[in-house]
């Protein structure tokens, strides 16, 4: 984590812990208006409020008298790459310990064998140990915004939020809600009220904390675990509080059959959530793989957001989401690791799984091969993992790209670690990101900042290095 400090050497020779400062390095970011901004020798200036005051080429900034610099030192991280922080739109905090276990099981079996026992034992004490290590691992993976499900126990959520508050990561977190197909021992008649009350209390305490860095998501697990009442009342709570509402949608064929059995009046899976009044721009639906044209059109009509989790979908052999089709329909889609159904917290790893999945769909779905369907290149994946994730959360006016006025959520990457042999580095934006996606190195992210503040990223003593 060492970098040079140029000019006024007031700061120690390390990455800047807090604003104000300027970072000099190779700079690459999607732009809200479209396209990508690349500066081989660039600078990002972060003011003392943690906002981006200036982004551009080093030489021009220097010649113009270094506008927006305030009193911060210039930290020279060349030849490292400066990118916007990554957005993980969907992961499960209590599941991290079982990452990489149970590949290929059907979802419902995997939940019962690998996940419910783990979440059941995820009490406040466990959360206090797992959450700091998890947030540090996310920082090492380059994730600066994480949308998380917790376990069912409210005090474990309290602990997770408190750790996130101290750590500095930007997070949307929610207590998983279940009033059937659950690991809670509550008698059925007490489940609904308990779930709603506990979630509402957590939302009241944490939604909007620290100027909106921490937010709440009402998080009914999925239709198999929830009654129509719980879905409807949690959606009402999300609307009245301005919090998010998140759940899983159409991930696995057996799950679909179970939903059809439990909700015989619904015309399809999406209709279960639609009847609950749960669709809309503050709703994040994970997976959304096996959808009819009607469901896709309804998602677009309501402005609901999709968390695309291709690595998880390969791991559990759930299926392949048709990203090109969804984008053509106008859906807003970001990327999710879905740890622990996804084996890795790294959004670069998710991009790789998405790229392989989408190219396979392209070459197998049309008689003539890949013709006709758009291909997604490395810069598209970078946008999906940054600015599109921010759009999905409705906060792309604040984060997701390196543009003046936005909060300084950014990462620096030692891309030399992705070269196949020493000295074989590339320099075009596409090729740089291609190497990050297809040849990710577990130690390549050297620093991650939220609002200009460096996130703790040290692995626990003797712990794993990679995300
Ligand atoms: N559907 C309901 N719960 C879960 C979960 O924890 N992980 C995944 N991947 N799918 C789910
Ligand atoms: Zn999930």
């Amino acid at each position: 984590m060492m970098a040079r400090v140029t000019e006024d050497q007031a700061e120690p020779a390390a990455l800047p812990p807090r604003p104000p400062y300027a970072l000099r390095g190779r700079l690459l970011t999607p732009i809200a208006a479209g396209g990508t901004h690349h500066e081989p020798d660039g600078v990002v200036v972060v003011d003392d409020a943690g906002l981006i005051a200036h982004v551009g080429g080093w030489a021009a900034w220097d010649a113009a008298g270094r506008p927006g610099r305030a009193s911060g030192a210039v930290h020279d991280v060349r030849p490292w790459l400066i990118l916007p922080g990554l957005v993980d739109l969907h992961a499960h905090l209590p599941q991290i310990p079982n990452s990489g276990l149970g590949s290929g099981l059907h979802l419902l079996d995997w939940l019962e064998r690998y996940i419910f026992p783990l979440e059941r034992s995820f009490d406040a004490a466990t959360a206090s140990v797992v959450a700091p290590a998890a947030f540090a691992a996310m920082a090492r993976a380059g994730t600066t915004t994480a949308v998380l499900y917790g376990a069912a126990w409210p005090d474990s959520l309290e602990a997770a939020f408190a750790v996130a508050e101290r750590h500095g990561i930007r997070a949307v977190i929610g207590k998983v809600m279940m009033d059937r197909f659950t690991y809670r021992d509550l008698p059925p008649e007490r489940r609904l009220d308990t779930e709603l009350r506990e979630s509402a209390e957590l939302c009241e305490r944490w939604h909007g904390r620290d100027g909106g860095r921490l937010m709440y998501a009402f998080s009914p697990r999925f239709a198999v675990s929830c009654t129509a009442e719980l879905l409807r009342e949690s959606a009402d709570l999300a609307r009245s509080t301005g919090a998010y509402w998140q759940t899983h949608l159409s991930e696995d064929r057996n799950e679909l059959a179970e939903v059809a059995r439990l909700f015989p009046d619904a015309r399809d899976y999406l209709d279960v959530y639609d009847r609950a009044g749960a669709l809309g721009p503050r709703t994040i639906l994970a997976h959304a793989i096996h959808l009819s044209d009607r469901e896709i059109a309804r998602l677009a009509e309501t402005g609901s957001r999709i968390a695309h989790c291709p690595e998880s979908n390969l791991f559990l052999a759930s299926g392949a989401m048709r990203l090109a089709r969804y984008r053509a329909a106008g859906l807003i889609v970001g990327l999710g690791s879905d740890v622990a159904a996804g084996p890795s917290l790294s959004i670069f790893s998710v991009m790789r799984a998405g790229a392989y999945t989408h190219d396979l769909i392209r070459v197998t779905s049309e008689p003539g091969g890949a013709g006709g369907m758009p291909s997604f290149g490395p810069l598209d994946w970078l946008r999906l993992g940054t600015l599109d994730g921010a759009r999905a959360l409705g906060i792309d006016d604040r984060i997701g790209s390196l543009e003046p006025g936005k909060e300084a959520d950014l990462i620096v990457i030692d891309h030399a670690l992705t070269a196949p042999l020493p000295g074989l580095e590339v320099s075009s934006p596409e090729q740089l990101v291609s190497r990050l996606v297809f040849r990710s190195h577990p130690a390549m992210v050297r620093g991650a900042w939220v609002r200009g503040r460096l996130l703790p990223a040290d692995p626990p003593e003797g712990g794993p290095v990679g995300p």
Side-chain angles (χ1 to χ4, degrees), residues 41 72 101 116 160 213 245 289 293 314 335 355 366 399 424 448:
D41 183 4
L101 306 181
F116 283 6
R213 178 170 62 83
W245 191 86
I289 299 173
D293 288 349
L314 293 176
L335 299 178
E366 294 181 19
I399 62 159
L424 289 185

Side-chain angles (χ1 to χ4, degrees), residues 106-361:
H106 286 305
L107 170 67
L108 302 180
D109 296 339
W110 176 79
L111 284 173
E112 282 196 291
R113 280 177 48 190
Y114 283 93
I115 296 307
F116 283 6
L118 193 62
E119 287 194 13
R120 197 186 176 146
S121 65
F122 197 81
D123 55 15
T126 310
S128 305
V129 174
V130 170
F135 295 140
M138 288 175 199
R140 287 199 300 286
T143 296
T144 51
T145 297
V147 183
L148 302 170
Y149 289 60
W153 320 121
D155 54 353
S156 71
L157 270 293
E158 198 60 43
F161 267 116
V163 173
E165 186 175 41
R166 281 196 299 278
H167 179 264
I169 194 167
R170 192 181 294 276
V172 180
I173 313 179
K175 185 189 103 68
V176 76
M177 306 173 83
M178 297 171 283
D179 63 344
R180 63 179 172 197
F181 188 54
T182 177
Y183 49 80
R184 294 193 81 160
D185 290 331
L186 282 174
E189 68 279 7
R190 286 190 43 216
R191 289 180 190 164
L192 176 63
D193 283 354
T194 306
E195 292 292 343
L196 293 169
R197 179 178 41 76
E198 291 171 349
S199 301
E201 285 171 4
L202 285 161
C203 179
E204 165 90 32
R205 282 179 52 70
W206 290 102
H207 183 61
R209 187 74 78 98
D210 193 17
R213 178 170 62 83
L214 301 178
M215 292 183 278
Y216 195 78
F218 289 88
S219 308
R221 178 162 224 126
F222 63 159
V224 179
S225 283
C226 302
T227 60
E229 292 74 31
L230 186 140
L231 295 170
R232 192 175 52 248
E233 298 207 21
S234 61
D236 285 349
L237 279 169
R239 228 184 338 273
S240 64
T241 56
Y244 295 96
W245 191 86
Q246 61 175 350
T247 192
H248 297 84
L249 169 69
S250 205
E251 176 180 2
D252 165 283
R253 296 270 182 207
N254 298 319
E255 171 202 10
L256 261 72
E258 189 59 4
V259 171
R261 187 182 72 77
L262 292 169
F263 296 87
D265 296 338
R267 30 174 151 169
D268 47 39
Y269 197 155
L270 185 69
D271 196 39
V272 174
Y273 299 146
D274 205 354
R275 286 170 182 230
L279 304 184
R282 301 287 281 177
T283 290
I284 305 158
L285 301 163
H287 306 298
I289 299 173
H290 311 284
L291 298 184
S292 64
D293 288 349
R294 191 205 80 79
E295 289 172 294
I296 295 169
R298 183 67 185 142
L299 284 169
E301 190 176 44
T302 56
S304 306
R305 313 307 211 219
I306 304 296
H308 179 32
C309 306
E311 195 169 29
S312 159
N313 301 154
L314 293 176
F315 187 81
L316 288 185
S318 303
M321 196 197 89
R322 292 169 296 157
L323 178 60
R325 168 90 179 75
Y326 289 21
R327 298 265 296 225
L331 292 180
I332 296 176
V333 181
L335 299 178
S337 67
D338 193 27
V339 161
S344 166
L345 283 169
S346 167
I347 292 297
F348 288 114
S349 183
V350 172
M351 294 176 190
R352 179 166 63 248
Y356 288 145
T357 301
H358 184 69
D359 279 344
L360 196 61
I361 292 177

